[in-house]
Amino acid sequence: MAACERVLGTPELMSYIIGLVDTRKDQVSAAQTCHLWSEHAFHWIWRELDSLIPLFNLLAPLERREADSWAAYNELYFPENMTFDKWPRLVFYGKYVRSIGFMISEEDEEFEIIEPKVYRDIKAASLNLPAFLPNLQHCEWTFWDSTCRTAIDLMVSPSVTQLQLNMEVVEDPCEVSEILTSLHGRVPDLRMLSLSLEPSIGVEDVEQPLATLLSTVPRLEQLYIPHFFHSEKIVAILRSLSRLEVLDCSGTAEYKSIRNDRGCQLGFEDDSFRSLQLLSCNTSLKKASHQFLSRFAPNNLSSIYIKPKLPTLSSDLQDFLSALVSSNPNLIDVNLNLYSDSTVPPVEIEFKDLQSLLQLPLKQLAISHDKVLSYSAEDVVVMGCAWPNMQGLYLTEEPLVSRFSPSHQDLTMLSLFAEHFPQLEDLGVFLHIGDNLNMQRIPRPHCRFRQLKELHVGTSPLPEAHQIDVAFYLASIMANENTDLCVDYSTWYPSIGHQRRVNSAWFKVHDLMKALYRNQLWLMGGSDFPQRSAGGSQRSEPEIVPQDPVESSLRGPQNSQALLP
């Protein structure tokens, strides 16, 4: 038998090859080739769905009812003469479905939903018919109203291992309780549970059904619950979950109700959460310090995310980090979200406040704060010595500051990070680049990043006059042409009256860097930095034929005398 025939005759290889094709259209073509290929293609065509519409269309084509002018969605419904004689067809294709997700975001201006009557009719018919989603494993669903409970009843089965429910539009606590109660005993093999609730719903409203649900999922490994939902009763149930690896009760900043905070302690004790690897919670640093010093020290904890709910004092931060390090010396991932939720001016933090972290074998460190973290060149060297395996480092790259807030960090800091963090893949820093930038005073980088994939500059200021200067410098220090300069978008925080202002000039710098690499204008080690002489003349450059408008701005004939820094 020829090698090609052996490959085509091996089911695992055939399924793998068909899964590598680029588009759904190609997979459909493979399904139409022959009976053997269709079986493997169906596994990929129907494996992941973003709604139930394709499945229900197998029973009868859904018709569209135009929405009112004020509605954001159009409803789909079955024709009046619809029957269920094609149910075997639904079961045949439904067995291939492994994941269903229906998520609505604020950016979705228009979308389609299935009217509740369709779910009710199918549920009534399914009582005497075979299940049509027997192998579903992942369900991610957004409730647009309380009637979506029928949709969940149709999809949830013992095969489901991951369940994400977004119920932020369900305002009645009783309806939320009924939805949680309907899941009791139906997902015994659940490994991941994520709940998003309407901010006004407090833990006391759904505590009992949630606690009961958690008690019926002994294999749970990941739990994501809203802010302040780690009550005494719920944590007591969580202690019995011996496989729990991820506990995220940080939720969202919208949960500010005082009643949501009543009785909500970290509540961790000795010999609990033995398998926990990641902890994320919102709490005061004083309370967290007490917990870590007195009772809580999981043997396997490697990642922690803390969002203090009160303005942070530097002394509180030092005490917390000291307690954290002493109780969990094996942490490799620490994320401190120190943004203030209050209009009270936050205190500044300095490198000395973080020195306890130097005792940890960190690979990931992220610190967010209203103000820029203050550190020196010597501090960068110390961090590099303490964390030789650091892969992701974010040092307050997005402070809530004005455009030209002073900072000790300039372009030369990047050279130090490149030298002392050989395994760094992601770096987030706040760079202060003012109008008086003089590239002649900035030394050439003596080292470039080896593995850097992303450089995040956050809200760093950048005058447009220095875009090309900065682009040449960054191109000379980046690891390769695949390194991205990441710039986020400005974000307004109405609760505290601040805004992260992102300078759009960085977007142009990113494009200039890519153009430099494409045209091979920069070869580290083979050429010196392009520089102006004291009299303003420039050294000669090879003639480059531009390929796009960005490259034209670099090497256009009209601007050739004013492009190099």
Side-chain angles (χ1 to χ4, degrees):
M1 182 181 296
C4 180
E5 295 178 346
R6 291 199 301 270
V7 170
L8 296 178
T10 306
E12 294 81 5
L13 291 178
M14 275 296 304
S15 179
Y16 177 76
I17 292 172
I18 294 177
L20 293 177
V21 299
D22 295 332
T23 64
R24 181 65 58 90
K25 181 180 178 180
D26 293 332
Q27 293 174 347
V28 172
S29 298
Q32 296 172 340
T33 301
C34 64
H35 178 73
L36 178 62
W37 283 35
S38 65
E39 181 70 17
H40 300 298
F42 288 154
H43 279 282
W44 294 100
I45 295 173
W46 292 93
R47 186 179 187 87
E48 297 181 1
L49 301 179
D50 56 9
S51 77
L52 288 168
I53 295 175
L55 283 172
F56 289 175
N57 275 329
L58 296 172
L59 296 174
L62 290 165
E63 299 181 2
R64 177 173 177 173
R65 181 183 294 113
E66 294 297 331
D68 297 328
S69 58
W70 53 267
Y73 56 84
N74 299 299
E75 284 192 332
L76 302 177
Y77 62 96
F78 279 137
E80 295 183 0
N81 59 351
M82 186 268 178
T83 62
F84 289 92
D85 56 343
K86 294 184 178 180
W87 189 269
R89 186 183 183 196
L90 175 64
V91 173
F92 176 80
Y93 290 102
K95 67 183 180 182
Y96 297 110
V97 179
R98 298 295 185 270
S99 174
I100 289 182
F102 175 68
M103 303 302 290
I104 304 174
S105 66
E106 296 179 355
E107 290 76 21
D108 295 329
E109 298 181 357
E110 184 177 342
F111 53 92
E112 295 179 331
I113 64 172
I114 301 173
E115 71 171 6
K117 184 178 182 302
V118 172
Y119 293 115
R120 291 194 295 267
D121 292 345
I122 292 180
K123 182 178 180 182
S126 65
L127 295 178
N128 301 317
L129 296 172
F132 70 94
L133 291 172
N135 301 314
L136 185 65
Q137 298 175 356
H138 175 217
C139 179
E140 185 175 1
W141 204 259
T142 294
F143 288 71
W144 63 89
D145 57 36
S146 58
T147 60
C148 291
R149 174 185 167 186
T150 308
I152 294 299
D153 288 341
L154 282 174
M155 292 183 289
V156 170
S157 66
S159 64
V160 173
T161 59
Q162 300 180 30
L163 185 60
Q164 297 175 251
L165 301 180
N166 182 351
M167 297 182 283
E168 294 183 356
V169 301
V170 183
E171 299 179 352
D172 188 352
C174 294
E175 293 180 353
V176 176
S177 296
E178 291 176 0
I179 294 172
L180 295 177
T181 302
S182 68
L183 298 174
H184 293 174
R186 300 183 59 191
V187 283
D189 200 34
L190 195 66
R191 307 299 173 89
M192 188 275 285
L193 175 64
S194 175
L195 299 176
S196 299
L197 304 180
E198 206 279 334
S200 64
I201 295 178
V203 62
E204 68 275 12
D205 298 323
V206 296
E207 184 178 48
Q208 184 57 48
L210 178 57
T212 304
L213 173 60
L214 293 175
S215 65
T216 63
V217 286
R219 295 182 177 88
L220 193 67
E221 298 175 355
Q222 302 178 37
L223 177 62
Y224 304 85
I225 53 178
H227 186 28
F228 296 139
F229 268 53
H230 43 292
S231 67
E232 182 178 350
K233 178 179 290 187
I234 292 177
V235 172
I237 298 296
L238 296 180
R239 293 194 193 105
S240 64
L241 301 178
S242 59
R243 300 187 181 184
L244 191 65
E245 298 178 355
V246 176
L247 176 57
D248 187 333
C249 43
S250 58
T252 171
E254 296 295 329
Y255 290 89
K256 295 181 180 178
S257 172
I258 296 178
R259 68 192 183 99
N260 283 346
D261 192 21
R262 291 176 181 171
C264 292
Q265 307 277 341
L266 280 175
F268 304 134
E269 295 181 353
D270 284 337
D271 299 326
S272 62
F273 302 97
R274 290 178 175 268
S275 300
L276 195 64
Q277 298 180 15
L278 185 151
L279 171 66
S280 178
C281 61
N282 294 28
T283 183
S284 69
L285 290 183
K286 286 187 178 180
K287 185 181 298 183
S289 300
H290 173 72
Q291 292 290 337
F292 284 114
L293 281 175
S294 59
R295 296 178 295 180
F296 184 60
N299 294 332
N300 297 316
L301 189 67
S302 59
S303 303
I304 187 167
Y305 176 102
I306 293 291
K307 169 67 174 74
K309 62 188 180 187
L310 298 174
T312 303
L313 299 176
S314 58
S315 58
D316 293 340
L317 178 60
Q318 294 177 21
D319 294 341
F320 164 73
L321 294 179
S322 178
L324 178 67
V325 171
S326 62
S327 60
N328 297 273
N330 297 321
L331 283 174
I332 61 174
D333 184 359
V334 174
N335 189 318
L336 300 177
N337 184 344
L338 304 179
Y339 285 125
S340 174
D341 290 336
S342 169
T343 55
V344 177
V347 297
E348 295 186 7
I349 57 175
E350 301 178 357
F351 176 73
K352 65 179 182 180
D353 300 323
L354 310 175
Q355 288 191 343
S356 296
L357 295 176
L358 297 175
Q359 304 174 43
L360 298 175
L362 291 181
K363 293 184 178 180
Q364 301 282 338
L365 174 63
I367 300 175
S368 306
H369 190 46
D370 301 62
K371 296 187 177 182
V372 181
L373 173 67
S374 177
Y375 56 90
S376 64
E378 292 76 13
D379 296 332
V380 175
V381 176
V382 171
M383 287 187 285
C385 295
W387 306 319
N389 299 318
M390 180 67 71
Q391 298 175 358
L393 183 61
Y394 299 86
L395 301 176
T396 63
E397 75 279 7
E398 293 185 345
L400 303 178
V401 295
S402 61
R403 184 166 179 259
F404 292 108
S405 293
S407 168
H408 299 294
Q409 288 77 47
D410 57 22
L411 288 175
T412 59
M413 281 291 185
L414 296 178
S415 179
L416 290 173
F417 282 110
E419 178 181 4
H420 296 283
F421 291 88
Q423 298 188 33
L424 199 61
E425 297 180 0
D426 300 288
L427 175 63
V429 291
F430 182 89
L431 300 172
H432 179 65
I433 303 175
D435 292 317
N436 59 347
L437 175 66
N438 188 345
M439 294 300 294
Q440 293 183 355
R441 297 182 179 181
I442 296 181
R444 170 182 176 171
H446 57 277
C447 181
R448 70 188 309 169
F449 288 101
R450 298 166 177 81
Q451 303 183 38
L452 193 68
K453 298 178 181 178
E454 294 183 353
L455 173 64
H456 297 256
V457 293
T459 56
S460 302
L462 175 61
E464 293 185 2
H466 297 303
Q467 288 176 325
I468 297 179
D469 294 330
V470 174
F472 267 104
Y473 188 90
L474 294 181
S476 69
I477 199 172
M478 294 304 175
N480 52 57
E481 60 181 322
N482 296 321
T483 303
D484 286 324
L485 180 64
C486 300
V487 185
D488 295 323
Y489 293 91
S490 299
T491 305
W492 172 251
Y493 294 83
S495 60
I496 56 177
H498 288 292
Q499 180 181 14
R500 296 180 189 170
R501 293 183 177 89
V502 176
N503 195 312
S504 59
W506 286 105
F507 294 104
K508 182 65 174 297
V509 171
H510 175 271
D511 294 338
L512 294 177
M513 285 176 49
K514 296 298 182 181
L516 288 170
Y517 278 120
R518 280 195 299 270
N519 285 320
Q520 297 183 352
L521 291 177
W522 197 254
L523 298 174
M524 184 65 175
S527 302
D528 292 332
F529 276 111
Q531 298 177 359
R532 288 191 180 93
S533 65
S537 62
Q538 300 168 350
R539 67 182 181 87
S540 60
E541 287 289 329
E543 187 68 23
I544 300 295
V545 179
Q547 299 178 353
D548 57 33
V550 172
E551 293 159 8
S552 298
S553 68
L554 277 170
R555 285 294 176 272
Q558 298 177 353
N559 301 318
S560 60
Q561 297 300 316
L563 296 176
L564 294 178

